[in-house]
Amino acid sequence: MIVKKSPDEIDRMAAAGDILVRTLALVESKIRPGATTEELDAAAERFIRSQGATPAFKGYRGFPGSLCISPNSMVVHGIPGPYKLRKGDILSVDCGVILDGWVADAARTFAVGSISVVARKLLDTTQASLFAAAEQCRPGNRLGDVSHAVQRRVEQDGLSVVRSLVGHGIGRDMHEDPQIPNYGPPGKGVKLEEGMVLAVEPMVTAGRHDVRLADDHWSIYSQDGSLAAHFEFTIAITADGPRVLTPWHETTD
Ligand code: MG
Ligand code: MG
């Protein structure tokens, strides 16, 4: 069942999103060769709690971190730890914030110093596919229009959409209906209505789309070892069109 949100509830989710965006900016400022992923995680958790909010991921099904941090060929769900960043790495950082019972969820893949041409294209294309999908989040469109926008943009550049992982509705719960695949035909699926809030999250590899679960039962890697990127917005569908509640792409102070 899809739970729609009132304009007031969407404003409250945007307040959680604002803290999330500032958390990602803080993490970005600390990304440098030699930094460990557990240092980034600790800084994020301190900041989120200092704002009177709670990290949504911490303890979720036993997840130990406040961020999922996934370097290079890791697609998602990386556990923060002693891994030291190296120049040329790409680093996917996924964050969830709960404020007054409302959840926001967003992710970005960062470059650690200068990165390869392949890595740069992967990041640019994945981000562009999210923007293309966000543009489809309007009343009257179908969920398949959102999914198809990601697939079309990614495959146009010869990259692969991860198929076994999906985006999701979001609200009082981090994962609500509907599930949002990042591929599929346009014009199909649930009709989008004002008040729906979606976490749209393309996961893309520079190789094939298959993934594997690591021995820690959390981290998911590309099966072929190719680089992977992950960009995510929480987006409300409003009468005026898409409202991104986690606008990490805009300048914030
Ligand atoms: Mg996320
Ligand atoms: Mg999500």
Side-chain angles (χ1 to χ4, degrees), residues 73-133:
S73 66
M74 198 190 288
V75 185
V76 286
H77 301 167
I79 297 173
Y83 179 80
K84 277 193 168 66
L85 305 187
R86 288 178 296 195
K87 185 165 169 287
D89 280 352
I90 60 171
L91 193 71
S92 295
V93 178
D94 192 354
C95 183
V97 167
I98 308 172
L99 182 68
D100 299 331
W102 294 94
V103 191
D105 185 8
R108 290 177 68 177
T109 302
F110 297 103
V112 184
S114 59
I115 56 175
S116 69
V117 172
V118 170
R120 175 46 62 194
K121 178 179 166 191
L122 174 68
L123 268 52
D124 290 348
T125 299
T126 308
Q127 177 171 294
S129 77
L130 174 59
F131 292 171

Coordinates of all heavy atoms in Angstrom, one line a residue, residues 73-133:
S73 N 34.4 -1.1 -6.6 CA 33.4 -2.0 -7.2 C 32.3 -2.4 -6.2 O 31.5 -3.3 -6.5 CB 34.2 -3.3 -7.6 OG 34.7 -4.0 -6.5
M74 N 32.3 -1.9 -5.0 CA 31.2 -2.1 -4.1 C 30.1 -1.2 -4.5 O 30.3 0.0 -4.7 CB 31.6 -1.9 -2.6 CG 30.7 -2.5 -1.6 SD 31.1 -1.9 0.1 CE 32.6 -2.8 0.4
V75 N 28.9 -1.8 -4.7 CA 27.7 -1.0 -5.2 C 27.0 -0.3 -4.0 O 26.8 0.9 -4.1 CB 26.7 -2.0 -5.9 CG1 25.6 -1.2 -6.5 CG2 27.4 -2.8 -6.9
V76 N 26.7 -1.0 -3.0 CA 25.9 -0.4 -1.9 C 26.2 -1.3 -0.6 O 26.8 -2.3 -0.6 CB 24.4 -0.4 -2.1 CG1 24.0 0.7 -3.1 CG2 23.9 -1.8 -2.5
H77 N 25.7 -0.7 0.5 CA 25.6 -1.4 1.8 C 27.0 -1.7 2.5 O 27.1 -2.6 3.3 CB 24.8 -2.7 1.8 CG 23.4 -2.4 1.3 ND1 22.5 -3.4 0.9 CD2 22.7 -1.3 1.1 CE1 21.4 -2.9 0.5 NE2 21.4 -1.6 0.6
G78 N 28.0 -0.9 2.1 CA 29.3 -1.1 2.7 C 29.3 -0.7 4.2 O 28.8 0.4 4.5
I79 N 29.9 -1.5 5.0 CA 30.1 -1.2 6.5 C 31.3 -0.3 6.7 O 32.4 -0.7 6.3 CB 30.2 -2.5 7.3 CG1 28.9 -3.4 7.1 CG2 30.5 -2.2 8.8 CD1 29.1 -4.7 7.7
P80 N 31.1 0.9 7.3 CA 32.3 1.7 7.6 C 33.3 0.9 8.4 O 33.0 0.2 9.3 CB 31.7 2.9 8.4 CG 30.3 2.9 8.0 CD 29.9 1.5 7.8
G81 N 34.6 1.2 8.2 CA 35.6 0.4 8.9 C 37.0 1.0 8.7 O 37.1 2.2 8.4
P82 N 38.1 0.2 8.8 CA 39.4 0.7 8.7 C 39.9 1.0 7.3 O 41.0 1.5 7.1 CB 40.3 -0.4 9.3 CG 39.4 -1.6 9.1 CD 38.0 -1.2 9.1
Y83 N 39.1 0.8 6.3 CA 39.6 1.0 4.9 C 40.0 2.5 4.7 O 39.3 3.4 5.1 CB 38.4 0.7 3.9 CG 38.9 1.0 2.5 CD1 39.6 0.1 1.8 CD2 38.5 2.2 1.8 CE1 40.0 0.3 0.5 CE2 38.9 2.4 0.5 CZ 39.7 1.5 -0.2 OH 40.1 1.7 -1.4
K84 N 41.2 2.7 4.2 CA 41.8 4.0 4.0 C 41.6 4.4 2.6 O 41.9 3.7 1.6 CB 43.3 4.0 4.3 CG 43.7 4.2 5.8 CD 45.2 4.5 5.8 CE 45.6 4.9 7.2 NZ 45.5 3.9 8.2
L85 N 41.0 5.6 2.4 CA 40.8 6.1 1.0 C 42.1 6.3 0.3 O 43.1 6.7 0.9 CB 40.0 7.4 1.0 CG 38.7 7.4 1.8 CD1 38.0 8.7 1.6 CD2 37.8 6.2 1.4
R86 N 42.1 6.0 -1.0 CA 43.3 6.2 -1.9 C 42.9 7.1 -3.0 O 41.8 7.1 -3.5 CB 43.8 4.9 -2.4 CG 44.4 4.0 -1.3 CD 44.9 2.7 -1.9 NE 43.7 1.9 -2.3 CZ 43.8 0.6 -2.6 NH1 44.9 0.0 -2.5 NH2 42.7 0.0 -3.0
K87 N 43.9 7.9 -3.4 CA 43.7 8.8 -4.6 C 43.2 7.9 -5.8 O 43.8 6.9 -6.0 CB 45.0 9.5 -4.9 CG 44.9 10.5 -6.0 CD 46.2 11.4 -6.0 CE 46.3 12.3 -7.2 NZ 46.6 11.5 -8.5
G88 N 42.2 8.4 -6.5 CA 41.7 7.7 -7.6 C 40.5 6.8 -7.2 O 39.8 6.2 -8.1
D89 N 40.2 6.6 -5.9 CA 39.0 5.8 -5.5 C 37.7 6.6 -5.9 O 37.7 7.8 -5.9 CB 39.0 5.6 -4.0 CG 39.9 4.5 -3.5 OD1 40.4 3.8 -4.3 OD2 40.0 4.4 -2.2
I90 N 36.7 5.8 -6.1 CA 35.3 6.4 -6.0 C 34.6 5.9 -4.8 O 34.9 4.7 -4.4 CB 34.5 6.2 -7.3 CG1 34.3 4.8 -7.6 CG2 35.1 7.0 -8.5 CD1 33.3 4.5 -8.7
L91 N 33.8 6.7 -4.2 CA 33.3 6.3 -2.9 C 31.8 6.6 -2.8 O 31.4 7.8 -2.8 CB 34.0 7.1 -1.8 CG 33.8 6.6 -0.4 CD1 34.5 5.3 -0.1 CD2 34.3 7.7 0.6
S92 N 30.9 5.6 -2.8 CA 29.5 5.8 -2.6 C 29.1 6.0 -1.2 O 29.5 5.1 -0.4 CB 28.7 4.7 -3.3 OG 29.0 4.6 -4.7
V93 N 28.5 7.1 -0.9 CA 28.1 7.4 0.5 C 26.5 7.5 0.5 O 26.0 8.4 -0.1 CB 28.7 8.6 1.0 CG1 28.3 9.0 2.4 CG2 30.2 8.5 1.0
D94 N 25.9 6.6 1.3 CA 24.4 6.6 1.4 C 24.1 6.9 2.8 O 24.7 6.4 3.8 CB 24.0 5.2 1.1 CG 22.5 5.1 0.8 OD1 21.7 6.1 1.1 OD2 22.0 4.0 0.4
C95 N 23.1 7.8 3.0 CA 22.8 8.3 4.4 C 21.3 8.3 4.5 O 20.5 8.7 3.6 CB 23.4 9.7 4.5 SG 23.1 10.5 6.1
G96 N 20.8 8.0 5.8 CA 19.4 8.1 6.1 C 19.3 9.0 7.4 O 20.1 8.8 8.3
V97 N 18.3 9.8 7.5 CA 18.1 10.7 8.6 C 16.7 10.6 9.1 O 15.8 10.7 8.2 CB 18.5 12.1 8.3 CG1 18.0 13.1 9.4 CG2 20.0 12.3 8.2
I98 N 16.4 10.4 10.4 CA 15.1 10.5 10.9 C 15.0 11.7 11.8 O 15.8 11.9 12.7 CB 14.8 9.2 11.8 CG1 15.1 8.0 11.1 CG2 13.3 9.3 12.3 CD1 15.0 6.7 11.9
L99 N 14.0 12.6 11.5 CA 13.7 13.8 12.3 C 12.2 13.8 12.6 O 11.4 13.7 11.7 CB 14.1 15.0 11.5 CG 13.9 16.3 12.3 CD1 14.8 16.4 13.5 CD2 14.0 17.6 11.4
D100 N 11.9 13.8 13.9 CA 10.5 13.8 14.4 C 9.7 12.7 13.7 O 8.5 12.9 13.3 CB 9.8 15.1 14.1 CG 10.5 16.3 14.8 OD1 11.1 16.0 15.9 OD2 10.5 17.4 14.3
G101 N 10.3 11.5 13.5 CA 9.6 10.4 13.0 C 9.5 10.3 11.5 O 8.9 9.3 11.0
W102 N 10.1 11.3 10.8 CA 10.1 11.3 9.3 C 11.4 11.0 8.8 O 12.4 11.5 9.3 CB 9.5 12.6 8.8 CG 8.1 12.8 9.2 CD1 7.6 13.4 10.3 CD2 6.9 12.2 8.5 NE1 6.2 13.3 10.3 CE2 5.8 12.6 9.2 CE3 6.8 11.4 7.3 CZ2 4.5 12.2 8.9 CZ3 5.5 11.0 7.0 CH2 4.4 11.4 7.7
V103 N 11.5 10.2 7.7 CA 12.8 9.7 7.2 C 13.1 10.4 5.8 O 12.2 10.6 5.0 CB 12.8 8.2 7.0 CG1 14.2 7.7 6.7 CG2 12.2 7.5 8.2
A104 N 14.4 10.7 5.7 CA 14.9 11.1 4.3 C 16.1 10.2 4.0 O 16.8 9.7 4.9 CB 15.4 12.5 4.3
D105 N 16.3 9.9 2.7 CA 17.3 8.9 2.3 C 18.0 9.5 1.0 O 17.3 9.9 0.1 CB 16.6 7.6 2.0 CG 17.4 6.4 1.7 OD1 18.7 6.5 1.8 OD2 16.8 5.4 1.3
A106 N 19.3 9.5 1.0 CA 20.0 10.1 -0.2 C 21.4 9.5 -0.3 O 22.0 9.1 0.7 CB 20.0 11.6 -0.2
A107 N 21.9 9.5 -1.5 CA 23.3 9.0 -1.7 C 24.0 9.8 -2.8 O 23.3 10.3 -3.7 CB 23.2 7.5 -2.1
R108 N 25.3 9.8 -2.7 CA 26.2 10.4 -3.8 C 27.4 9.5 -3.9 O 27.9 8.9 -2.9 CB 26.6 11.8 -3.4 CG 25.6 12.8 -3.4 CD 26.1 14.2 -2.9 NE 27.1 14.7 -3.9 CZ 27.7 15.9 -3.8 NH1 27.4 16.6 -2.7 NH2 28.5 16.3 -4.7
T109 N 28.0 9.5 -5.1 CA 29.3 8.9 -5.2 C 30.3 10.0 -5.4 O 30.1 10.8 -6.3 CB 29.3 7.9 -6.4 OG1 28.3 6.9 -6.1 CG2 30.7 7.2 -6.5
F110 N 31.4 10.0 -4.6 CA 32.4 11.0 -4.6 C 33.7 10.5 -5.3 O 33.9 9.3 -5.2 CB 32.7 11.5 -3.2 CG 31.6 12.1 -2.5 CD1 30.8 11.4 -1.5 CD2 31.2 13.4 -2.7 CE1 29.8 12.0 -0.8 CE2 30.1 14.0 -2.0 CZ 29.4 13.3 -1.1
A111 N 34.4 11.4 -5.8 CA 35.8 11.1 -6.3 C 36.8 11.4 -5.2 O 36.7 12.4 -4.6 CB 36.1 11.9 -7.6
V112 N 37.8 10.6 -5.0 CA 38.9 10.8 -4.1 C 40.0 11.3 -5.0 O 40.7 10.5 -5.6 CB 39.3 9.6 -3.3 CG1 40.4 10.0 -2.3 CG2 38.1 9.0 -2.6
G113 N 40.2 12.6 -5.0 CA 41.2 13.2 -5.9 C 40.9 13.0 -7.4 O 39.7 12.9 -7.7
S114 N 41.9 13.0 -8.2 CA 41.6 12.8 -9.7 C 41.3 11.3 -9.9 O 41.9 10.4 -9.3 CB 42.7 13.3 -10.5 OG 43.9 12.6 -10.2
I115 N 40.3 11.0 -10.8 CA 39.9 9.7 -11.1 C 40.0 9.4 -12.6 O 40.2 10.3 -13.4 CB 38.5 9.4 -10.6 CG1 37.5 10.4 -11.2 CG2 38.4 9.5 -9.0 CD1 36.0 10.1 -10.8
S116 N 39.9 8.1 -12.9 CA 40.1 7.7 -14.3 C 38.9 8.2 -15.2 O 37.9 8.6 -14.7 CB 40.1 6.1 -14.4 OG 38.8 5.6 -14.1
V117 N 39.2 8.2 -16.5 CA 38.1 8.6 -17.4 C 36.9 7.8 -17.3 O 35.8 8.2 -17.3 CB 38.7 8.6 -18.8 CG1 37.6 8.8 -19.9 CG2 39.8 9.6 -19.0
V118 N 37.1 6.5 -17.1 CA 36.0 5.5 -17.0 C 35.2 5.9 -15.7 O 33.9 5.9 -15.7 CB 36.5 4.1 -16.9 CG1 35.4 3.1 -16.5 CG2 37.1 3.7 -18.2
A119 N 35.9 6.1 -14.6 CA 35.2 6.4 -13.3 C 34.4 7.7 -13.5 O 33.3 7.8 -13.0 CB 36.2 6.5 -12.2
R120 N 35.0 8.7 -14.1 CA 34.3 10.0 -14.3 C 33.1 9.9 -15.1 O 32.0 10.4 -14.7 CB 35.3 11.0 -14.9 CG 34.8 12.4 -15.3 CD 33.9 13.0 -14.1 NE 34.7 13.3 -12.9 CZ 34.1 13.6 -11.8 NH1 32.8 13.6 -11.6 NH2 34.8 13.7 -10.7
K121 N 33.1 9.1 -16.1 CA 31.9 8.9 -17.0 C 30.9 8.2 -16.2 O 29.7 8.5 -16.3 CB 32.3 8.1 -18.2 CG 31.2 7.8 -19.1 CD 31.6 7.0 -20.3 CE 30.5 6.4 -21.1 NZ 30.9 5.4 -22.1
L122 N 31.3 7.2 -15.4 CA 30.3 6.4 -14.6 C 29.6 7.4 -13.6 O 28.4 7.3 -13.5 CB 31.1 5.4 -13.8 CG 30.2 4.6 -12.8 CD1 29.2 3.7 -13.5 CD2 31.2 3.7 -11.9
L123 N 30.3 8.3 -12.9 CA 29.7 9.2 -12.0 C 28.8 10.2 -12.7 O 27.6 10.4 -12.3 CB 30.8 10.0 -11.2 CG 31.2 9.4 -9.9 CD1 31.7 7.9 -10.0 CD2 32.4 10.2 -9.3
D124 N 29.3 10.7 -13.8 CA 28.4 11.7 -14.5 C 27.2 11.1 -15.1 O 26.1 11.7 -15.0 CB 29.3 12.4 -15.7 CG 30.4 13.3 -15.2 OD1 30.4 13.6 -13.9 OD2 31.3 13.6 -16.0
T125 N 27.3 9.9 -15.6 CA 26.1 9.3 -16.2 C 25.1 8.9 -15.1 O 23.9 9.0 -15.3 CB 26.6 8.1 -17.0 OG1 27.4 8.5 -18.1 CG2 25.4 7.3 -17.6
T126 N 25.6 8.3 -14.0 CA 24.7 7.9 -13.0 C 23.9 9.1 -12.4 O 22.7 9.0 -12.2 CB 25.4 7.1 -11.9 OG1 26.2 6.1 -12.5 CG2 24.5 6.5 -10.9
Q127 N 24.6 10.2 -12.2 CA 24.0 11.4 -11.7 C 23.0 11.9 -12.7 O 21.8 12.2 -12.3 CB 25.0 12.4 -11.4 CG 24.4 13.7 -10.9 CD 25.4 14.7 -10.4 OE1 26.1 14.5 -9.4 NE2 25.6 15.8 -11.1
A128 N 23.3 11.9 -13.9 CA 22.4 12.4 -15.0 C 21.2 11.5 -15.1 O 20.1 12.0 -15.3 CB 23.1 12.4 -16.3
S129 N 21.3 10.2 -14.8 CA 20.2 9.3 -14.9 C 19.2 9.6 -13.7 O 18.0 9.4 -13.9 CB 20.6 7.8 -14.9 OG 21.0 7.4 -13.6
L130 N 19.8 10.0 -12.6 CA 18.9 10.3 -11.4 C 18.1 11.6 -11.8 O 16.9 11.7 -11.5 CB 19.7 10.5 -10.2 CG 19.0 11.0 -9.0 CD1 17.8 10.1 -8.6 CD2 19.9 11.2 -7.8
F131 N 18.8 12.6 -12.3 CA 18.1 13.8 -12.7 C 17.0 13.6 -13.7 O 15.9 14.1 -13.7 CB 19.1 14.9 -13.3 CG 20.1 15.4 -12.3 CD1 21.2 16.2 -12.7 CD2 20.0 15.1 -10.9 CE1 22.1 16.7 -11.8 CE2 20.9 15.7 -10.0 CZ 21.9 16.4 -10.4
A132 N 17.3 12.7 -14.7 CA 16.3 12.3 -15.7 C 15.1 11.7 -15.1 O 13.9 11.9 -15.4 CB 16.9 11.4 -16.8
A133 N 15.4 10.8 -14.1 CA 14.3 10.1 -13.4 C 13.5 11.1 -12.5 O 12.2 11.0 -12.5 CB 14.8 9.0 -12.5

